[in-house]
Amino acid sequence: MKLTTSLLPLLLSSLAASKSLSFLGNDQQVLGDDLNVPGDNPLEFCTKSDDYTLTINKVDLTPNPPSPGKTLTIEAKGNFTEEVKKGAYVNLSVKYGLIRLINQRADLCDQMKNVDEECPLTGEKTITKDVELPKEIPPGSYTVLADVYTENDVQITCLTAHVKF
């Protein structure tokens, strides 16, 4: 859980690649479907990220998708356009299928210590973190939602991820 509350807020960024949709062999761009987080990852923004105070330039997960019993390496680059101070928080939800496993509010600045960062958070940030995933992760679909706010309830970012083990 430290991984989720520490790194998911860092994995948010400006708008990026749009998905393509294929009908009868013709590739067409889906209008307005630009919620993917840049990089090699399963992350998406909850909404268009124009107003987020964290712009993520890139997030790479190795391996992608994550695998039970393997080391997950997370490399993320982003920019805080406004200073994030003590009191910032993340609302975190993790579901296994339809079952909610985690629904909590965590102090963002406390969690950032897990990736060797401290508040206030400002400017460009680059993190690399290795996480040992347990072999015992039950197979199935997991959905993670991280909605991050400043101490004054201004949205920093919102991110969702769907991972199947």
Side-chain angles (χ1 to χ4, degrees):
M1 181 173 68
K2 287 183 182 179
L3 163 70
T4 307
T5 57
S6 299
L7 296 178
L8 280 182
L10 291 176
L11 305 181
L12 306 171
S13 73
S14 61
L15 300 175
S18 60
K19 295 180 184 175
S20 64
L21 183 62
S22 180
F23 290 107
L24 304 173
N26 296 326
D27 287 337
Q28 299 175 352
Q29 292 298 319
V30 179
L31 297 177
D33 191 15
D34 52 1
L35 299 178
N36 294 323
V37 173
D40 187 17
N41 64 73
L43 304 170
E44 293 182 351
F45 297 104
C46 301
T47 60
K48 290 187 178 185
S49 63
D50 296 342
D51 296 327
Y52 292 154
T53 59
L54 174 60
T55 301
I56 292 194
N57 303 326
K58 182 173 143 180
V59 176
D60 290 325
L61 302 183
T62 307
N64 182 30
S67 299
K70 304 281 184 182
T71 299
L72 175 65
T73 300
I74 302 164
E75 296 175 333
K77 294 182 182 184
N79 183 45
F80 288 92
T81 58
E82 296 179 25
E83 185 175 77
V84 175
K85 300 176 186 172
K86 189 80 173 152
Y89 61 94
V90 56
N91 291 323
L92 179 66
S93 171
V94 178
K95 290 183 181 180
Y96 173 69
L98 298 174
I99 301 168
R100 189 178 308 262
L101 300 175
I102 298 172
N103 192 30
Q104 75 172 37
R105 183 178 195 166
D107 185 288
L108 179 64
C109 294
D110 287 345
Q111 297 303 316
M112 293 304 295
K113 294 174 186 173
N114 295 321
V115 291
D116 301 323
E117 291 287 342
E118 293 184 5
C119 285
L121 301 168
T122 59
E124 292 285 330
K125 297 287 180 190
T126 300
I127 63 158
T128 300
K129 184 74 174 176
D130 289 331
V131 179
E132 297 296 327
L133 297 179
K135 293 179 188 176
E136 299 82 14
I137 297 174
S141 295
Y142 292 80
T143 303
V144 179
L145 171 69
D147 201 3
V148 188
Y149 292 89
T150 67
E151 70 282 1
N152 296 321
D153 299 321
V154 174
Q155 191 172 40
I156 296 171
T157 192
C158 183
L159 178 72
T160 187
H162 303 279
V163 178
K164 190 170 187 174
F165 287 100

